[in-house]
Amino acid sequence: MSQRSCLSVILAAGEGTRMKSALPKVLHQIAGLPMVAHVVKAADAAGASSDAIVIGHGAEEMRKAVAKFSPKAETFVQEERLGTAHAVLAAREAISRGYDDILVMFGDTPLIDAEALTMARLRLAEGAAVVVIGFRPPNPTGYGRLIEKDGKLTAIREEKDCSEEEKKIGFCNAGMMAVAGAHALTLLDAVGNKNAKGEYYLTDIVEIASAQNLDVVATEASFESALGINNRAELAQAEAIWQQRRRHDAMLSGVTLIAPETVFFSYDTDIGADTIVEPNVWFGPGVRIAGGAKIHAFSHIEGATIGSNCDVGPFARLRPGADLRNKAKVGNFCEVKQAVIEDGAKVNHLTYIGDARVGSGANIGAGAITCNYDGYSKFFTDIGEGAFIGSNSSLVAPVSIGKGGYIASGSVITESVPDDALAFGRARQKTIPGKGKELRERFASAAAAKKKAAGADH
């Protein structure tokens, strides 16, 4: 297969009106990635060396999105919506470059399995001119049936045109197919529009190819792989299927998920063996976790790197740029953003660390924060190895705390602290004997007078 060139043509021009959204349908996300990007990933995994994405509705928005998730992909605009064959021919320029295999796919089938596409390509390599990918839905009603004879596919029959016997067929058209590059344009150009809608249907190339004595066959994909998304309920269904697959793969790779159904991954989550994930954890895009980490319940992690044997949460938030080195700890109700927490450092509870470095072995007390933003610009805080930051301290950046530095609890630190120094940044305590009792009596008397006055008014 590696010797055969392959172009994927992905149809993504539909308006998706049933999504009830200004966003083009195929840009709605599954696991943090647009649907159409999942399709591109599957095609590339099946050996596609080039991708042509046919767009229409929201063309400019589509181009920008494609440039992010697949910079090498080409986009082609279908100016008029005249059917699926017409849509494929919008990418004529790419098809005409002489690829061995052409994969035709839909941008709203995000669960398509690369193995199903590879199988279709294998049948092309064996001599087929057209390979239609079929599936067996629980209920075939409404789907086009694949009509086979002697191992060959002779027609795709829409249900309204099926005989009673053909309606009993459970093998249905998934819409996707592979076409030999040598025949692709000839077959597509032969498709006519003599039908009720006056459109050019891609499925017609099955009978056209058969009439030319070319081999046409069908391969089978799972029902999930062929699932098309038309509304937000189906989008949620696809998300659930994707998450179920990913959880299963994670557990088989050595990750413990205590309550798998409550853990949500993104398309690129990379999590090492012997990591334990407690219930209700959400991984956004860009998360890398080495082995042996423990992620406690209700943590929210995105764009973060977590080293081996780290301890995170519960109720921790790691934002993009958080970089926890080996055996670091970020505890409950802590937030870390764009900061390195070095080996063995502890950010235990109720703390914000942003735009900072926390040196190895340092300890950050409860309620400590780095004040990194002045309303206009961000500034950096550097906390040295083995430093101790007392509870409820504010470090006003730019500032550095030296190796072994000690910040007294409740301090506001505005100047850098040398190695091994102790810094106070708070008002001196004053104690007045008996004053507490005096205040309580005064406040109680005032409250009683107020209550009495209120009663007189009534």
Side-chain angles (χ1 to χ4, degrees):
M1 293 297 295
S2 61
Q3 303 302 315
R4 296 176 65 86
S5 60
C6 178
L7 168 71
S8 74
V9 178
I10 299 170
L11 308 186
E15 293 184 19
T17 53
R18 282 180 282 177
M19 294 296 285
K20 302 291 193 296
S21 175
L23 184 71
K25 178 172 75 168
V26 298
L27 294 186
H28 285 264
Q29 295 186 346
I30 300 289
L33 191 69
M35 283 194 278
V36 65
H38 283 276
V39 180
V40 171
K41 283 170 63 71
D44 292 350
S49 51
S50 301
D51 302 300
I53 302 177
V54 178
I55 61 177
H57 174 65
E60 191 55 38
E61 192 171 6
M62 284 290 297
R63 285 194 185 96
K64 290 179 180 178
V66 170
K68 290 181 180 178
F69 66 73
S70 184
K72 294 182 180 179
E74 293 182 273
T75 56
F76 298 89
V77 178
Q78 183 187 17
E79 298 291 354
E80 297 180 89
R81 296 186 63 195
L82 300 178
T84 47
H86 179 264
V88 175
L89 282 172
R92 178 187 293 272
E93 179 186 341
I95 297 170
S96 65
R97 292 174 189 152
Y99 293 92
D100 295 311
D101 304 336
I102 308 294
L103 288 173
V104 179
M105 308 161 70
F106 292 86
D108 61 359
T109 55
L111 302 177
I112 181 61
D113 193 333
E115 291 183 7
L117 302 175
T118 300
M119 181 58 66
R121 291 192 63 206
L122 284 170
R123 298 305 302 271
L124 291 182
E126 293 168 357
V130 177
V131 182
V132 174
I133 298 177
F135 72 119
R136 298 183 187 276
N139 180 1
T141 302
Y143 292 104
R145 307 305 204 274
L146 299 184
I147 312 298
E148 295 179 290
K149 183 178 181 181
D150 300 327
K152 304 294 183 184
L153 184 66
T154 58
I156 301 176
R157 192 94 71 225
E158 295 303 317
E159 186 175 53
K160 60 183 174 57
D161 299 321
C162 285
S163 66
E164 289 304 313
E165 194 64 27
E166 289 171 339
K167 287 181 180 178
K168 297 177 182 178
I169 296 172
F171 195 25
C172 300
N173 179 30
M176 296 164 283
M177 63 176 65
V179 184
H183 302 291
L185 287 177
T186 301
L187 294 173
L188 289 164
D189 284 333
V191 174
N193 66 341
K194 293 182 179 179
N195 52 63
K197 290 188 176 181
E199 294 186 351
Y200 300 85
Y201 295 133
L202 180 63
T203 51
D204 288 353
I205 71 171
V206 170
E207 294 190 45
I208 294 170
S210 296
Q212 296 178 11
N213 295 318
L214 297 172
D215 281 345
V216 182
V217 298
T219 59
E220 186 172 341
S222 69
F223 170 65
E224 291 178 352
S225 289
L227 187 66
I229 309 303
N230 295 300
N231 55 52
R232 294 180 195 248
E234 292 173 349
L235 183 70
Q237 180 186 2
E239 178 78 39
I241 293 169
W242 190 97
Q243 292 293 343
Q244 185 178 19
R245 288 179 178 179
R246 183 66 184 86
R247 293 164 188 149
H248 182 262
D249 289 346
M251 290 185 287
L252 291 185
S253 70
V255 177
T256 294
L257 304 180
I258 293 175
E261 69 281 3
T262 70
V263 175
F264 290 84
F265 294 105
S266 282
Y267 69 97
D268 61 349
T269 304
D270 184 357
I271 184 167
D274 286 326
T275 292
I276 297 173
V277 183
E278 292 183 354
N280 298 295
V281 174
W282 187 87
F283 296 102
V287 175
R288 301 287 181 271
I289 304 176
K294 189 164 187 178
I295 313 299
H296 295 280
F298 294 98
S299 293
H300 187 289
I301 303 170
E302 180 177 4
T305 301
I306 300 173
S308 61
N309 301 302
C310 285
D311 196 284
V312 177
F315 293 96
R317 185 183 183 196
L318 302 184
R319 292 171 56 193
D323 182 356
L324 279 57
R325 306 292 169 83
N326 299 339
K327 296 185 179 180
K329 176 178 174 60
V330 173
N332 50 294
F333 299 101
C334 292
E335 180 175 336
V336 177
K337 164 250 172 191
Q338 203 64 46
V340 175
I341 313 298
E342 294 189 343
D343 294 5
K346 296 179 180 179
V347 182
N348 281 313
H349 29 221
L350 303 163
T351 294
Y352 171 71
I353 301 293
D355 297 284
R357 178 187 75 94
V358 178
S360 60
N363 187 89
I364 311 298
I369 63 171
T370 56
C371 306
N372 58 324
Y373 184 52
D374 66 359
Y376 299 92
S377 303
K378 299 288 180 70
F379 298 94
F380 190 77
T381 298
D382 189 80
I383 300 171
E385 177 184 347
F388 182 92
I389 310 300
S391 296
N392 203 35
S393 294
S394 298
L395 308 181
V396 183
V399 69
S400 63
I401 310 301
K403 179 179 178 181
Y406 196 111
I407 305 302
S409 295
S411 295
V412 177
I413 301 299
T414 58
E415 297 178 359
S416 292
V417 177
D419 292 354
D420 296 317
L422 169 65
F424 289 82
R426 64 192 185 202
R428 184 176 297 276
Q429 179 175 321
K430 183 177 181 180
T431 303
I432 305 176
K435 191 68 174 179
K437 181 181 179 182
E438 178 188 325
L439 288 174
R440 283 195 302 273
E441 291 173 349
R442 184 197 305 170
F443 295 155
S445 176
K450 183 176 182 182
K451 185 176 181 181
K452 183 176 180 181
D457 289 341
H458 291 286

